[in-house]
Amino acid sequence: MSSGAEPSLAHKSVAGIRTAPTQDQSPATPHAPFRVTSSSYGSPSTLRAEDDFVLVEIGSRFVRVGFAGDSLPKATLSSGPEQGRRVGDFRAWQQNGSQSSVAESESESESGAWALEHEIWSFDLRQVDLGLFHDRLERTLREAFTRYLLIDSRPRKMGLVLDPSVPIPLLSAVLDTLFNNFHVPVVSLMSSPTMSAVAAGVRSALVIDMGWAETVVTSVYEYKEVKTTRSVRGGRVLHDALYKLLRGLLVGDEAPDKEAQSHAKRVVSFEECEDILCRLMWCRSSAFKPSQRQSSQLDTVREQDESESESESPHAGEVTAVPLQSTTPATTLPVPFDKLADVCDDSYFVPSASLCTFDDHELPLHHLVYHHLLHLPVDVRAVCMSRILFTGGCSGILGIRERLMDELTSMVERRGWVPVSGKGVEQLRANQKLRRADAHRSSVSPVAPSEGSNEDLELAPSETSATESLEDLIEAKIARNRPSSQSLHGQLRCIHSLGPWAGASLLCQLKIPAMAMIDRETWLQQGANGAVRPTEVDTKAQQRQSMGPGGLMRGVGGHHPSWTLGVWGAL
């Protein structure tokens, strides 16, 4: 029991509690009502805009757009006459709207005008209107941002995945579109072959890009592009050859003269010809079968009669019925599978012609890859030939990867890695006398031991055995505590890649800084002429970079006054 003299606890009295004014009561002093505004906490879109990293890949026919960290792009947009229609153009819904793309002369196919409307850009700048390309690219990106990515017009960091051979005028048009129309603060340039190697999980690879305009072979060694060779044998050549086959089956005139060809109209539309290419095109297997095949190149076991020859094609003699809607009238065309395989062989491999009939820019695919590997350094070749990647739309043709690997293996086993070839070399290899003389020289010892070195020869075995035993003990102890990791070298092997977009998405998600980064203010002030050459950039000073949240936002204009376009700026 506490006495009355003890002080009371410090409780608030009921009279000291101020009640809130009701509707009938008014506050003693006039003041603004208390409001909670969302601006004090910030908009959710602002936080999201700082975290988003938009990734764009621009190819010859398609534009892939998405966010960094995703395995697949959110949208894949194509370019064509349908995407270039103006407001109020309803020709596609008219009765004869499907015939609009067919009504053009066949003589335009030789100049590439038939496929020019379906391409985003062409590396031949003589046929490219940069202003029109600027408007089409802006329309495509704006449609992708508003309809598929669902983002507003707030500036966001962006990454570009491009072919290293893109000309500077096209690159300048792309950067002007991003900086002026979308107000991108920083653009990171990433190479397609290097990103394909990243997506495969390797540091070195031989990337074979079988695209629409051409086939490009690039050797990547430790994330650096060592050598690039290309050939015009791509999807465009295959598409034109398939159209000639369909026209011959429909009309019956496989080789019309030039005067009749200039006045003739196309019998099949571009879209239907491309659809047949994607669905039915296949490649015949090689006549050479390697004795030992890697696990990634195993043949599918197929039950067959014992009387059936092994060299016979599985689709020999088969015919498929192809419905055509763009012809006048609509018809169903029987197409033999053997002729489709002949079209693929003549477009990519040309087995009936000799190598001397081709220029350097039109080599068959297996010769292109072989000569590319032949001119590489020995250590780079040993690593890259065991990590062969296939990318591009035409690499999905049935059987074309197996055919290329078999042809390449046969050339290596037949010729080796000797850069000299011809009849004289073949005769020299077939000369038995020279072979016996070389074998006799290698068996004879070039230097005979002298008499004064007998004591050294007697002491050498004991010292050597002691040293070898000591090294063996140390190596055995190290091997027990060290995991054995042996990389494959010197063998032809094909591995799978997720594509350049997936590799760039992984790097951007990990906040790894790109070597070619362009700031908006620097580009608006200097343009493409302000970029220094790649050799003038100090790569050693850029090795120690922070991998924090601001890794990709390193100051290009402030901290690094010298900036570069990388491989795109090398003339």
Side-chain angles (χ1 to χ4, degrees), residues 173-249:
V174 174
L175 295 177
D176 288 338
T177 304
L178 297 179
F179 288 136
N180 296 327
N181 298 98
F182 297 95
H183 303 283
V184 179
V186 175
V187 174
S188 302
L189 296 180
M190 288 164 282
S191 175
S192 299
T194 307
M195 295 301 105
S196 299
V198 172
V202 293
R203 302 171 63 92
S204 305
L206 184 72
V207 183
I208 304 176
D209 186 5
M210 303 176 63
W212 169 257
E214 56 188 1
T215 298
V216 184
V217 181
T218 307
S219 53
V220 180
Y221 185 74
E222 295 295 331
Y223 298 135
K224 295 180 181 179
E225 299 176 12
V226 179
K227 185 179 178 60
T228 300
T229 54
R230 58 191 69 247
S231 175
V232 295
R233 301 185 180 276
R236 183 192 300 157
V237 176
L238 182 63
H239 189 275
D240 293 341
L242 178 60
Y243 172 77
K244 293 180 181 178
L245 172 64
L246 297 178
R247 187 188 184 282
L249 295 176

Side-chain angles (χ1 to χ4, degrees), residues 471-483:
E471 292 180 355
D472 293 339
L473 293 176
I474 297 176
E475 289 293 335
K477 188 175 181 180
I478 294 176
R480 287 195 300 266
N481 301 327
R482 180 180 57 188

